[in-house]
Amino acid sequence: MKNRIDSCFEQLKAKNKKALITFITAGDPDMTVTEKNIMEMLDNGSDIIEIGVPFSDPIAEGTTIQKASLRALSGGTNLDIIFDMVRNLRKQTQKPLVLMMYVNTIFKFGTEKFFGLCKECEIDGVIVPDLPFEERDEIQAYADQNDIYNIYLVSPTSHERIEMISKEAKGFLYIVSSLGVTGTREKITTDLNYLLEPIRNGNHCPCCIGFGISDGEQAKKIADYCDGAIMGSAIVEIVEKYGKDSPVHVGEFIRSVRNTLDN
Amino acid sequence: MDKIGRFGEFGGQYVPETVMTAVHELEEAYNKYKDDPDFNKELQSLYHDYANRPSMLYYAEKMTKDLGGAKVYIKREDLNHTGAHKINNVLGQILLAKKMGKRRVIAETGAGQHGVATATVCALMGLECEVYMGKTDMERQSLNVYRMNLLGAKVTGVNSGTSTLKDAINEAFRDWCSNIDTTFYCIGSVMGPHPYPTMVRDFQKVISAEIKSQLMEKEGKLPDAVFACVGGGSNAMGAFYNFIDDKSVRLIGAEAAGRGIDTPDHAATVAKGSVGIFHGMKSLFLQNEYGQIDPVYSISAGLDYPGVGPEHAYLNSIGRAEYVDITDKEAVHAFEYLSKTEGIIPAIESSHAVAAALKIIPNMDKKQIAVINLSGRGDKDVYSIARYRGVNINEE
């Protein structure tokens, strides 16, 4: 079967639209609300969902996602429960679902067992922010065997590494917009043209930019440079504010971002 | 080492992409300077003239008689400038930072010894310095916080997680990701992504080199056992390294067992941990079945860490070094024992090594020689030991 991420970008391209990729921390404030939030996001215009597997020590995250991870973990969220939720989601949607997680949560769970479950639950990809390209062998063979994409990241400090990484990228290339950790920013000051230069030429998979995108206007500006925008902390902030009542607000927010992005 | 940056299966470079270029730059710079005669001359003169090296190897006669086993020598890293072995590593790294043209240095600290050493050398070399320290540690090591401020460093309290060393490292990593162009991350132990575990060990291996030559001069032979405490494990790697190939030398690391390794309140990573990937390295960690890092505990802020350096994980896996668990109670007893017996107040971290020695030395032969690496001095711990004993020594 074709990976859903590839089909998604093909469809978007045919419609001349940009991808809206949205992140949420699983289990914040509980799994039922997360499942509702994910369906709200998909119903209101998200193309791909990044399900954040909470980790005790998320070194690539700013305070918003750190706090969300703690809320989720203190509620007893774990990978088995998250896979249960994904099984439920697959009864409701065929859109791409990817897991965003730290390498230790894969390694300690058992890399082989993990990717087997990903396949069984129809996960399409993983994003592992603390597993750089050089250490990809830690998971790559298992990911490949199970047709799960290991989505690579490049950042403003990647320079000559961009070409090496983008050549092997599958699904989409995750472009980190700014130095530092996740979290909404007032402005993204990185020279995105420079960052994307090495990728522009050559036959590559789609590129999407994330880190620091706080609203629809910013998403639209960013998406002009590439194939899609990734939003995380802005959504987690809504969950933090509204808790169990967040799904309606998350849905509204995604709808407005989608409208801005498409117009 | 099997391949670059690996000790058997342990080690590696598990860091976010944003940091990869910096880690490679550091690796290149370290490889360039580590055998550079001028760099080493400069470092040696700093060791000698500024840090007071070589540190003394002291024959503890009263302790030897009292224990009735092996002859006891104490390696006095506590007499180094800033009061611990930490200065050895910091002088090396910050000299390297200078060569690399970095203007700002960040560090994490647990007990505050590495933070103080970093603040000290930054003052010496005119670099901006920011130290991350868990709020819990700031409370139990307030003297060191004041020292760092005095030395011109900014101390930033970390309130996340358990508010101890692990969280300070998380925050230092986040800072590094944000300020990668200007900032040098001076890691305080033999941990983190390659090249840190190797580089920090190389800056600390002067300890075992000195023990070897000093003992050769005094006794004409190798020691039979070397004791050192292990948190991340830098003083232990320094004390062990030049003896690894001398198979007759027992290498004994003392881990913090806190309130006991059968309680949740300990930091005995080798005894109770399992293989994981965290803080840039594959090594042993205290963690649950889902890979969430456990909160850990020790009376000693410097050993209060849920992981251990990858070279220790390796030495343990091949059986070359042995690791024993020392409880708070045993460490406090050793703290008081060494103070009364030899007139040396050891750091509570180093007291774990002393406690291990108190257990093992009586069973050794009188013809044998044991060396305790006394990694730091205990002035900083006097308040908390008094508190542990229920004595209030506040001046008000």
Side-chain angles (χ1 to χ4, degrees):
Chain A
M1 199 183 96
K2 193 168 187 171
N3 192 299
R4 289 181 190 83
I5 300 171
D6 295 334
S7 316
C8 172
F9 280 102
E10 277 168 24
Q11 287 160 17
L12 286 166
K13 200 173 178 190
K15 291 186 211 155
N16 203 19
K17 282 168 85 171
K18 303 288 186 176
L20 176 60
I21 303 175
T22 57
F23 169 97
I24 197 151
T25 301
D28 171 31
D30 62 42
M31 294 306 297
T32 317
V33 175
T34 301
E35 192 179 320
K36 277 188 199 152
N37 272 327
I38 290 172
M39 287 316 299
E40 280 289 332
M41 292 197 285
L42 289 172
D43 291 343
N44 285 287
S46 289
D47 299 300
I48 298 173
I49 302 292
E50 284 180 15
I51 302 170
V53 176
F55 181 48
S56 54
D57 297 85
I59 59 161
E61 314 298 346
T63 48
T64 302
I65 296 177
Q66 283 177 46
K67 284 191 281 177
S69 307
L70 277 184
R71 287 194 297 271
L73 288 174
S74 61
T77 304
N78 63 43
L79 205 44
D80 287 311
I81 300 172
I82 293 169
F83 278 124
D84 288 342
M85 177 188 71
V86 174
R87 286 188 191 95
N88 280 336
L89 284 169
R90 276 291 171 238
K91 293 172 194 155
Q92 304 162 70
T93 181
Q94 281 306 310
K95 289 198 176 163
L97 301 173
V98 306
L99 294 176
M100 180 138 184
M101 59 204 302
Y102 286 79
V103 64
N104 200 43
T105 56
I106 298 177
F107 179 80
K108 181 64 185 168
F109 188 78
T111 307
E112 187 171 7
K113 178 179 147 200
F114 170 80
F115 281 102
L117 275 171
C118 280
K119 182 166 193 164
E120 185 199 313
C121 299
E122 298 177 69
I123 285 287
D124 303 290
V126 293
I127 304 171
V128 191
D130 60 344
L131 188 71
F133 188 73
E134 283 82 349
E135 298 285 5
R136 65 193 183 286
D137 286 350
E138 198 65 60
I139 64 168
Q140 197 66 51
Y142 296 107
D144 291 347
Q145 270 164 34
N146 291 288
D147 305 313
I148 314 290
Y149 284 165
N150 175 19
I151 292 160
Y152 299 140
L153 298 98
V154 298
S155 89
T157 56
S158 297
H159 308 296
E160 66 271 21
R161 298 168 52 76
I162 296 178
E163 205 185 331
M164 160 183 89
I165 296 171
S166 63
K167 258 192 222 156
E168 288 198 34
K170 281 183 178 168
F172 64 92
L173 187 62
Y174 190 129
I175 316 269
V176 175
S177 73
S178 318
L179 295 182
V181 293
T182 58
T184 51
R185 288 164 170 78
E186 264 176 39
K187 251 169 109 176
I188 289 166
T189 52
T190 309
D191 183 349
L192 294 168
N193 269 324
Y194 169 78
L195 183 58
L196 288 160
E197 185 68 50
I199 310 165
R200 284 252 164 73
N201 317 311
N203 216 347
H204 60 78
C205 72
C207 296
C208 299
I209 299 180
F211 272 46
I213 303 176
S214 47
D215 57 27
E217 287 298 330
Q218 242 183 350
K220 188 176 167 59
K221 242 189 241 169
I222 285 286
D224 277 346
Y225 290 90
C226 61
D227 303 294
I230 307 168
M231 296 179 83
S233 297
I235 297 153
V236 176
E237 279 167 12
I238 299 173
V239 181
E240 181 177 5
K241 189 170 172 193
Y242 295 103
K244 287 193 190 309
D245 301 323
S246 56
V248 55
H249 300 281
V250 167
E252 235 170 68
F253 178 73
I254 298 298
R255 192 161 59 242
S256 82
V257 173
R258 182 82 251 177
N259 283 338
T260 314
L261 195 60
D262 288 350
N263 292 312
Chain B
M1 210 182 287
D2 294 347
K3 55 179 180 172
I4 293 185
R6 292 275 173 177
F7 310 91
E9 68 171 305
F10 304 106
Q13 265 175 340
Y14 301 88
V15 291
E17 173 61 24
T18 301
V19 177
M20 278 308 274
T21 304
V23 164
H24 286 157
E25 268 173 24
L26 177 63
E27 197 178 339
E28 252 170 59
Y30 180 60
N31 286 334
K32 178 177 165 195
Y33 286 107
K34 70 175 179 186
D35 300 315
D36 179 75
D38 290 338
F39 179 86
N40 281 298
K41 205 176 146 196
E42 212 174 332
L43 183 60
Q44 288 311 318
S45 82
L46 284 165
Y47 275 178
H48 186 272
D49 301 340
Y50 189 71
N52 200 32
R53 298 211 73 87
S55 69
M56 299 297 105
L57 185 70
Y58 164 72
Y59 169 46
E61 193 176 354
K62 276 180 78 190
M63 195 171 166
T64 301
K65 279 189 183 139
D66 182 55
L67 296 179
K71 206 167 174 184
V72 185
Y73 279 90
I74 297 176
K75 179 64 172 165
R76 302 292 310 273
E77 290 297 301
D78 60 317
L79 295 181
N80 294 340
H81 180 42
T82 72
H85 70 292
K86 295 289 187 188
I87 193 84
N88 306 334
N89 166 45
V90 170
L91 282 169
Q93 283 199 49
I94 295 184
L95 196 57
L96 193 60
K98 271 283 245 214
K99 304 273 180 212
M100 291 171 74
K102 300 287 180 181
R103 298 187 301 275
R104 177 174 178 264
V105 173
I106 56 169
E108 81 292 337
T109 198
Q113 292 304 100
H114 175 60
V116 167
T118 307
T120 299
V121 180
C122 283
L124 176 71
M125 301 205 189
L127 296 172
E128 186 189 336
C129 178
E130 183 164 355
V131 179
Y132 289 92
M133 188 171 190
K135 284 273 191 193
T136 306
D137 292 340
M138 285 177 77
E139 280 160 28
R140 53 181 172 176
Q141 298 289 352
S142 54
L143 186 66
N144 273 341
V145 175
Y146 192 78
R147 286 168 84 193
M148 287 184 268
N149 287 326
L150 205 56
L151 293 158
K154 180 180 173 197
V155 182
T156 301
V158 179
N159 241 335
S160 57
T162 48
S163 303
T164 60
L165 180 54
K166 143 186 102 86
D167 311 287
I169 295 169
N170 293 344
E171 217 45 49
F173 260 111
R174 291 182 187 118
D175 180 313
W176 203 26
C177 284
S178 312
N179 302 294
I180 203 92
D181 293 333
T182 59
T183 298
F184 185 98
Y185 182 13
C186 182
I187 293 186
S189 193
V190 285
M191 50 148 299
H194 176 70
Y196 285 100
T198 302
M199 178 175 69
V200 175
R201 177 256 279 154
D202 285 349
F203 289 138
Q204 292 292 0
K205 69 186 181 191
V206 61
I207 300 174
S208 51
E210 286 177 9
I211 294 175
K212 209 171 196 175
S213 63
Q214 287 166 328
L215 203 61
M216 211 39 94
E217 202 171 288
K218 288 173 196 286
E219 299 279 351
K221 59 177 186 171
L222 291 170
D224 297 282
V226 178
F227 293 89
C229 64
V230 179
S234 70
N235 91 79
M237 272 323 303
F240 292 174
Y241 186 70
N242 286 290
F243 296 114
I244 291 175
D245 292 334
D246 301 315
K247 298 285 158 60
S248 66
V249 184
R250 276 176 79 184
L251 305 174
I252 302 166
E255 292 197 294
R259 298 191 177 97
I261 59 167
D262 297 320
T263 74
D265 298 331
H266 65 80
T269 309
V270 176
K272 291 288 196 170
S274 57
V275 181
I277 302 168
F278 181 50
H279 280 162
M281 58 186 172
K282 185 180 277 189
S283 191
L284 294 169
F285 296 96
L286 292 163
Q287 54 181 331
N288 75 8
E289 60 186 304
Y290 292 103
Q292 307 294 344
I293 304 302
D294 283 339
V296 293
Y297 163 81
S298 163
I299 190 173
S300 144
L303 304 182
D304 199 353
Y305 180 66
V308 68
E311 197 166 6
H312 283 294
Y314 175 67
L315 291 177
N316 176 65
S317 73
I318 60 168
R320 179 62 192 96
E322 44 194 306
Y323 297 84
V324 296
D325 325 308
I326 298 299
T327 61
D328 286 358
K329 202 177 155 190
E330 292 167 323
V332 170
H333 168 73
F335 179 90
E336 294 167 340
Y337 175 90
L338 198 69
S339 302
K340 291 200 172 87
T341 311
E342 293 290 346
I344 298 170
I345 302 176
I348 188 63
E349 289 76 23
S350 323
S351 300
H352 286 70
V354 176
L358 293 180
K359 280 185 175 176
I360 293 169
I361 288 175
N363 301 320
M364 290 174 70
D365 192 276
K366 283 194 174 163
K367 288 183 210 123
Q368 291 187 304
I369 293 169
V371 177
I372 303 168
N373 192 40
L374 205 73
S375 56
R377 67 175 179 229
D379 310 41
K380 68 180 177 57
D381 299 306
V382 171
Y383 273 100
S384 61
I385 300 299
R387 209 179 308 132
Y388 182 87
R389 288 299 187 207
V391 178
N392 185 359
I393 51 173
N394 282 334
E395 284 178 19
E396 262 92 341

